[in-house]
Amino acid sequence: MFHVIAPHTGVSSESTAIRTDMSRDPTLNSELIPLVDRFGRVATSLRLSVTDRCNIRCFYCMPELDAKFAPRSSLLQFEEMARIASLLVRRCGVRDIRLTGGEPLVRKELHLLIEMLSEIPGLDDLALTTNGVLLAEQAERLRQAGLKRLNVSLDTLSEATFQKISRREGLDRVIAGIDAAIAVGFESIKLNSLAIRGMTESEIVSLVEFSIRRGVELRFIEFMPLDADKKWTDGAVLSGEELKRILEASFGELKSIPRADPAQPSESFEISGGHRVGIIRSVTVPFCQSCNRLRLTADGSLRNCLFATEETPLRDRMRAGASDDEIVELVRQCLLNKRVAHGIDGEGFMPPERPMYSIGG
């Protein structure tokens, strides 16, 4: 159904033909075999990185200076991303895709990729994670293209702290982006806030109050060892239990909300007034046993875990003429090599060589 396309810097005239082919596919789900790893976990979610570039330099993700990016010619074209995504949905049972980076909104004409992905038969959900800096000017176009849900990073409401974390200016633009996204009516908007000991404790209550005023859910995420500077220590992790104590001191007892989906990483709680707050304990209480994710890097390598030390290159095989069957087999072999857990809390843990911005959030 897809054809190998020579590298170029934009979207080819074949995009429309590809979308038409997908919408008319008479064999939809006729060969669907779920992606099951050795431990019985079923992969139904794809994190698709569209770029490793970013317009800020958060210390928990990137170096302040001299960040090393993949050559632009090595990045997957939109057609190549759509081909892999369509195979994963039609042949392997993937049901949701989240676009990540780097910062995905720095990828030119991203709405064209969203249009392509949104027309894949069988895809239930299409979401995007962003730092929000460019969101105000793109929110309406993204929504019109078919994007359903947004996660926006918001670690602080202080410009000084924002600059300490991101090493750039721009908090006002992030807040403007959140407001623009609310205005255009995404199905869901969530705010992600990294919990860092010694830096964000004083921000927790004000961030929740901000989310209440905006009518959106806020989720706190434990600080993970994916920083490019390799300075993470477990002492910098503000744990989920500590977050709960801080929240309860200001908002009263948290009422636990059962997970609608066992693969959902966030524990959800209701605070006074019925507002929902989430906590993702990725370090202290890992959710590896219910993980349902695959990750595709912007330069075309498949990863079966955020902390994987190995990955499966797909780009060069595609560009050399690999068939759909061959690509699907590479995906299945990658998943079979998935470990039982990421092992952050185990002896001998080694973070991946790639930092977060290069893997895709």
Side-chain angles (χ1 to χ4, degrees):
M1 180 173 62
F2 287 90
H3 305 285
V4 177
I5 302 168
H8 63 86
T9 57
V11 178
S12 83
S13 60
E14 295 197 38
S15 299
T16 302
I18 287 172
R19 295 198 294 271
T20 302
D21 286 348
M22 288 191 293
S23 64
R24 295 177 179 174
D25 181 12
T27 62
L28 177 62
N29 292 338
S30 63
E31 303 175 45
L32 194 154
I33 302 175
L35 292 169
V36 184
D37 70 15
R38 293 176 297 154
F39 306 99
R41 296 169 296 196
V42 182
T44 59
S45 180
L46 174 67
R47 265 50 179 171
L48 173 55
S49 177
V50 300
T51 182
D52 58 353
R53 288 160 172 79
C54 191
N55 47 2
I56 56 178
R57 293 291 183 271
C58 298
F59 72 82
Y60 52 72
C61 179
M62 298 186 71
E64 182 175 9
L65 302 170
D66 300 323
K68 300 189 185 313
F69 301 118
R72 293 187 187 277
S73 61
S74 73
L75 300 183
L76 289 178
Q77 303 162 30
F78 287 169
E79 295 90 344
E80 292 170 323
M81 294 179 188
R83 178 189 178 190
I84 295 172
S86 181
L87 286 172
L88 289 174
V89 173
R90 293 184 303 107
R91 301 275 298 272
C92 304
V94 164
R95 287 293 168 260
D96 68 81
I97 295 175
R98 175 172 294 277
L99 303 180
T100 69
E103 168 48 43
L105 299 189
V106 304
R107 180 81 185 239
K108 291 183 179 179
E109 300 191 309
L110 182 64
H111 66 284
L112 297 178
L113 174 64
I114 291 170
E115 289 176 357
M116 297 166 70
L117 297 176
S118 68
E119 294 182 9
I120 298 175
L123 182 65
D124 295 334
D125 189 36
L126 182 57
L128 179 144
T129 296
T130 174
N131 63 34
V133 173
L134 298 175
L135 184 56
E137 53 261 46
Q138 296 191 41
E140 185 171 4
R141 185 163 55 180
L142 296 172
R143 184 71 182 108
Q144 290 176 347
L147 189 68
K148 295 183 178 181
R149 298 189 300 116
L150 273 177
N151 285 10
V152 185
S153 298
L154 184 68
D155 300 323
T156 176
L157 293 172
S158 159
E159 176 63 28
T161 305
F162 182 86
Q163 292 185 28
K164 186 175 181 181
I165 292 173
S166 69
R167 298 179 286 205
R168 298 291 188 273
E169 299 177 350
L171 176 61
D172 56 339
R173 297 182 68 186
V174 175
I175 293 175
I178 293 168
D179 289 338
I182 293 171
V184 301
F186 283 94
E187 293 179 15
S188 168
I189 300 171
K190 294 179 180 178
L191 308 180
N192 291 342
S193 184
L194 204 64
I196 308 168
R197 186 185 303 282
M199 183 171 294
T200 64
E201 291 97 329
S202 62
E203 302 276 350
I204 291 169
V205 173
S206 60
L207 284 166
V208 172
E209 292 171 342
F210 175 90
S211 72
I212 292 172
R213 291 194 298 272
R214 294 311 197 273
V216 297
E217 182 177 343
L218 174 71
R219 305 186 307 174
F220 294 101
I221 305 172
E222 292 179 341
F223 181 22
M224 293 180 287
L226 289 163
D227 56 311
D229 296 330
K230 306 294 185 186
K231 293 182 179 179
W232 178 92
T233 66
D234 55 7
V237 178
L238 186 60
S239 73
E241 282 303 311
E242 293 172 283
L243 287 164
K244 286 179 65 178
R245 287 196 292 270
I246 294 171
L247 290 169
E248 288 179 333
S250 292
F251 300 102
E253 184 178 359
L254 302 182
K255 179 183 177 182
S256 180
I257 302 173
R259 284 181 169 91
D261 180 354
Q264 173 187 320
S266 177
E267 301 171 73
S268 292
F269 302 92
E270 185 179 295
I271 61 174
S272 55
H275 189 73
R276 180 174 291 198
V277 175
I279 296 176
I280 299 178
R281 304 196 225 194
S282 44
V283 176
T284 62
V285 186
F287 41 88
C288 301
Q289 73 280 358
S290 58
C291 179
N292 67 339
R293 299 178 181 180
L294 287 171
R295 297 174 183 272
L296 185 65
T297 66
D299 58 359
S301 287
L302 195 69
R303 300 175 63 88
N304 56 35
C305 176
L306 183 60
F307 293 94
T309 55
E310 297 178 349
E311 53 189 34
T312 301
L314 299 183
R315 181 200 63 220
D316 292 345
R317 296 292 294 272
M318 285 196 303
R319 292 181 181 177
S323 68
D324 286 357
D325 287 345
E326 290 171 327
I327 296 300
V328 169
E329 181 58 27
L330 287 171
V331 172
R332 295 194 187 283
Q333 288 301 316
C334 176
L335 191 65
L336 286 175
N337 292 327
K338 187 169 184 171
R339 296 175 298 177
V340 67
H342 57 49
I344 290 177
D345 55 351
E347 291 186 13
F349 169 76
M350 292 292 291
E353 286 298 316
R354 286 197 195 230
M356 188 68 154
Y357 74 93
S358 180
I359 293 173

